[in-house]
Amino acid sequence: MGSGKRGLLTAALTVVCAVTVLAAPGTAFAAPAPTPTPTTGGSPTPAPTPRPGKDLGEIREKLDTLYHDAAVATDAYNAAEEKAEKQSTEIVALAKKIDQGRQRLDRLRNQAGAAARDQYRTGGLSSTAQFLLSDDPGQFLDGAGRVLQGQQAATKLMAEMNRTQKELREYAADASARWKKLDANRKAKAAAKKKIEKQIDAAEKLESRLEKKEKERLAQLEREAADKAQTAWLDTGALKDVGGKASVQGKKAVKYATEQLGKPYVWGAEGPDSFDCSGLTSQAWATAGHAVPRTSQEQWKQLPHVDVKDMRPGDLIIYFDDASHVAMYIGDGAIIHAPRPGRTVTIAGAGSMPILGVVRPDA
């Protein structure tokens, strides 16, 4: 959040406090274990025990779990950030209404004060009293009209003052409630950030203990798992009837996503230099002129669902049972996505991860 927004929010909080007082009345491939080698003695040499943490199949599963949990926490972080931004904007708008209400109330009080001063200048006699003491018929009738006008004006003035004070109390209560929600979302965002950092740190430490050849073998296992999943998906005939053409907006979204290839994954990022998975898809569609929810889970909840056989380039494919990952379909069984920390925006097989479903932003 920028310093300008923080300044507005600080001012808003000050106004709220003042008015409150004023108005109160993946499949894993396990690395094969070496087979025992007989010795010339008599007793066979036992198979070497894998070093703790160095079974690459287990490491890959552990990394998948850590990065998946980080992705779930990233969605929670993004959701809290989106809500906080919206609430901040609403609070600033309320603060402006409160300030305008205070100015209106000050003007009404000045009018009431002017009326009181005028009464003082006439000797403390009200218009009604002066009217009753008059012996001049013309003055009597003229005074009658003035009394009636004065009474109407006073009634209107008091009603407007009461209405303004009521509005101020309501605005103050609303702003106070929104501040509480904003504070709760900030705490949720902080907790999600802590979890993200914890999961990513654990994954990076796990990978840092691997030697160069082990890292290369681990990368190979990841590719093999993705290829196997993609092949299995294609073998189901999922793409047999897929041939939809991208809409005009879909083409723009695909073009934007393609232009981001090679940029790094950074959790919570939505461009222009880095992205997380839903940051990429939401910005691609925003650029295409169609706003979509910020998180993969909300994209799954709010956007229209379409069958896989009906999908077309520009559609979003949601992955995993918890909708924790999203990618953009670009045709020919391929997607563009921001995979995870340590990776860049890339092209992959649409079936390389467990598909939850497909949504269409411009349905």
Side-chain angles (χ1 to χ4, degrees):
M1 186 177 297
S3 58
K5 177 60 72 65
R6 285 196 297 270
L8 282 172
L9 290 179
T10 301
L13 180 58
T14 302
V15 172
V16 170
C17 292
V19 172
T20 301
V21 174
L22 170 117
T27 304
F29 294 87
T35 55
T37 304
T39 63
T40 55
S43 303
T45 302
T49 303
R51 288 172 292 172
K54 289 300 180 76
D55 182 279
L56 295 182
E58 292 181 2
I59 287 177
R60 182 180 164 275
E61 289 181 350
K62 180 64 174 176
L63 287 173
D64 284 348
T65 299
L66 289 170
Y67 283 123
H68 174 267
D69 289 348
V72 174
T74 298
D75 235 27
Y77 176 91
N78 290 335
E81 172 73 8
E82 189 174 38
K83 288 180 181 178
E85 286 291 337
K86 181 180 178 182
Q87 288 161 347
S88 297
T89 301
E90 291 170 346
I91 289 171
V92 170
L94 271 173
K96 290 179 180 178
K97 287 184 178 181
I98 289 171
D99 185 57
Q100 292 169 356
R102 288 182 64 190
Q103 292 180 28
R104 184 167 71 250
L105 188 60
D106 287 342
R107 288 196 298 270
L108 293 172
R109 284 174 171 167
N110 286 338
Q111 291 177 26
R117 289 192 295 274
D118 182 61
Q119 183 175 338
Y120 177 77
R121 284 195 298 271
T122 61
L125 292 176
S126 67
S127 298
T128 302
Q130 294 182 52
F131 159 60
L132 292 175
L133 294 173
S134 174
D135 294 325
D136 186 330
Q139 186 179 358
F140 181 94
L141 294 174
D142 184 52
R146 287 201 305 272
V147 168
L148 181 60
Q149 291 175 356
Q151 289 176 337
Q152 291 175 340
T155 300
K156 182 178 179 181
L157 178 63
M158 292 305 299
E160 190 171 354
M161 285 182 65
N162 289 334
R163 183 172 62 253
T164 300
Q165 287 179 320
K166 181 182 177 182
E167 287 178 354
L168 284 173
R169 286 193 294 269
E170 290 174 349
Y171 289 153
D174 192 7
S176 177
R178 290 178 190 273
W179 270 105
K180 290 179 181 178
K181 290 181 179 179
L182 177 61
D183 185 55
N185 277 317
R186 283 174 171 167
K187 290 178 180 177
K189 189 172 75 168
K193 178 181 179 181
K194 186 176 181 180
K195 183 173 182 180
I196 294 167
E197 292 173 340
K198 179 181 178 181
Q199 302 301 101
I200 293 176
D201 183 60
E204 290 176 345
K205 285 181 179 178
L206 183 58
E207 289 184 291
S208 69
R209 292 199 292 267
L210 299 176
E211 297 174 1
K212 182 180 179 180
K213 288 185 177 180
E214 291 171 326
K215 289 180 180 179
E216 292 173 352
R217 175 58 181 157
L218 181 63
Q220 181 182 348
L221 289 176
E222 291 176 350
R223 289 192 296 271
E224 289 175 355
D227 290 344
K228 182 178 180 181
Q230 174 74 352
T231 300
W233 181 66
L234 293 174
D235 286 345
T236 65
L239 290 183
K240 181 180 179 182
D241 299 320
V242 175
K245 294 183 179 180
S247 64
V248 173
Q249 286 184 315
K251 288 179 181 178
K252 291 180 181 179
V254 170
K255 181 177 183 294
Y256 178 89
T258 303
E259 291 171 349
Q260 314 314 312
L261 287 170
K263 292 185 178 181
Y265 176 105
V266 174
W267 60 267
E270 47 189 333
D273 300 320
S274 57
F275 298 86
D276 61 22
C277 67
S278 58
L280 176 64
T281 55
S282 61
Q283 284 302 303
W285 272 100
T287 302
H290 194 97
V292 301
R294 171 64 177 87
T295 70
S296 59
Q297 292 178 344
E298 288 304 312
Q299 288 171 4
W300 174 243
K301 289 179 183 177
Q302 297 185 33
L303 299 179
H305 293 197
V306 297
D307 290 336
V308 170
K309 65 181 179 62
D310 296 324
M311 69 181 177
R312 66 192 187 194
D315 287 348
L316 306 182
I317 302 181
I318 310 296
Y319 293 96
F320 304 105
D321 290 341
D322 53 8
S324 57
H325 190 69
V326 60
M328 179 176 292
Y329 183 65
I330 59 174
D332 297 326
I335 56 170
I336 287 180
H337 70 143
R340 65 169 176 81
R343 299 287 189 267
T344 60
V345 176
T346 188
I347 294 176
S352 58
M353 297 169 285
I355 295 175
L356 177 60
V358 181
V359 296
R360 178 166 297 162
D362 62 340

